[in-house]
Amino acid sequence: MSASPFLVERAGDIERWTLNDPATRNALSDAMVVGLYEAALRAQQDDSLRVVVLTGAPGAFSAGGSLGHFASAIGRPLPPGEADPLIAMNRRFGDVLHALCALPQMLVCAVDGPAMGGGFGLVCCADHVLATERSVFATPEVTLGLPPAQIAPFVWQRLGDAAARQCLLQGRSYSATQAQPLGLVDELVANDALEVALRDRLAFMLRTAPRAMASSKRLLQHLREEVADLREEAAIAFAQALRGPEAASGLAAFARKQPAPWVPKS
């Protein structure tokens, strides 16, 4: 029997949620997205839960969206009059990001390795981000012919307009050291010190009064809600791009480890 792609472990008033598909560097499959969403909805109703730790199976935090189930649609326009299933698939990930931000508990992301695309978006939902020195953060979507659709509002809220434009419009990659002054990483630790640092951080967080902390998060959430909800628009933009020629050529070039056709030849 294969292991579950999403693991939940409870220890007292703390839960650890693990993206668990090491073979794909914890790429965000449908099963993983559903697991995250269901766990977040359940946690929102759990008054006994105080902290959620989101992490990845050893080797990565998350390589981003899994395009395997999109393969048959890449570069293929939708027949006229048909509803596009890609829109619903992409919007589901937007629902996950909104649900994570609505958690009344503290959300800690413990990052060891790459956090790419959708994984980058998950990190932007956290209240506290610990990262090892070997961690890497990137939003490569535009270099592949895709918009960073669902994660864009969350990156913008976390990093601010100027840094978000640098990140999202250029497909930049950041080391953990570079990500810390941007505000993406709160605590940078040695490669072998993540679990110790996490334990210390959780002990510090548990000094907070649960109801006062949850009330404070609700107040902050009201500020987030002032930003337009772009889930539907983002899902449509992603689906249209995936069915278009740029994504087809960009993803094919990526698979061949070659430059995309729009990259100038040296």
Side-chain angles (χ1 to χ4, degrees):
M1 180 180 293
S2 60
S4 170
F6 181 72
L7 303 177
V8 177
E9 301 168 277
R10 180 83 177 231
D13 45 14
I14 298 171
E15 281 191 355
R16 186 179 184 116
W17 298 353
T18 303
L19 308 174
N20 185 45
D21 191 0
T24 67
R25 297 193 302 168
N26 306 319
L28 296 164
S29 63
D30 279 348
M32 204 177 283
V33 168
V34 169
L36 262 173
Y37 186 59
E38 291 178 347
L41 293 185
R42 175 185 49 77
Q44 289 175 21
Q45 306 302 318
D46 188 347
D47 293 336
S48 67
L49 182 61
R50 296 181 61 184
V51 182
V52 171
V53 177
L54 178 60
T55 191
F61 180 75
S62 174
S66 174
L67 293 177
H69 53 291
F70 295 149
S72 63
I74 294 174
R76 297 186 179 180
L78 190 72
E82 282 192 19
D84 195 338
L86 296 181
I87 294 175
M89 289 181 189
N90 186 256
R91 185 186 165 106
R92 272 199 295 273
F93 184 61
D95 292 339
V96 167
L97 299 174
H98 280 263
L100 290 175
C101 289
L103 287 174
Q105 298 86 9
M106 289 287 289
L107 175 62
V108 179
C109 277
V111 181
D112 184 21
M116 319 289 280
F120 193 114
L122 292 175
V123 171
C124 288
C125 296
D127 300 303
H128 190 84
V129 178
L130 290 95
T132 59
E133 293 171 343
R134 64 182 160 224
S135 296
V136 178
F137 303 84
T139 53
E141 288 90 335
V142 292
T143 69
L144 302 174
L146 294 168
Q150 295 295 346
I151 71 170
F154 300 89
V155 176
W156 184 84
Q157 287 168 335
R158 177 90 186 189
L159 303 184
D161 186 71
R165 286 175 182 272
Q166 290 290 310
C167 175
L168 297 174
L169 301 183
Q170 298 183 43
R172 292 187 61 176
S173 176
Y174 302 90
S175 68
T177 302
Q178 293 169 326
Q180 190 170 28
L182 288 178
L184 183 61
V185 171
D186 298 302
E187 194 171 347
L188 184 59
V189 302
N191 292 334
D192 59 352
L194 183 62
E195 291 300 324
V196 172
L198 178 60
R199 185 172 64 246
D200 291 344
R201 177 54 54 183
L202 294 177
F204 185 83
M205 287 179 172
L206 291 177
R207 302 186 314 153
T208 63
R211 292 183 182 177
M213 192 278 299
S215 177
S216 298
K217 282 203 67 173
R218 281 194 297 271
L219 294 174
L220 294 173
Q221 180 65 13
H222 288 319
L223 297 175
R224 185 181 292 272
E225 288 169 354
E226 292 180 5
V227 178
D229 185 341
L230 301 179
R231 274 176 282 186
E232 189 68 17
E233 181 179 345
I236 292 170
F238 179 84
Q240 289 176 341
L242 194 65
R243 292 187 179 281
E246 278 191 349
S249 56
L251 290 168
F254 177 76
R256 294 192 300 266
K257 298 183 179 181
Q258 296 176 348
W262 52 79
V263 177
K265 293 180 174 61
S266 56

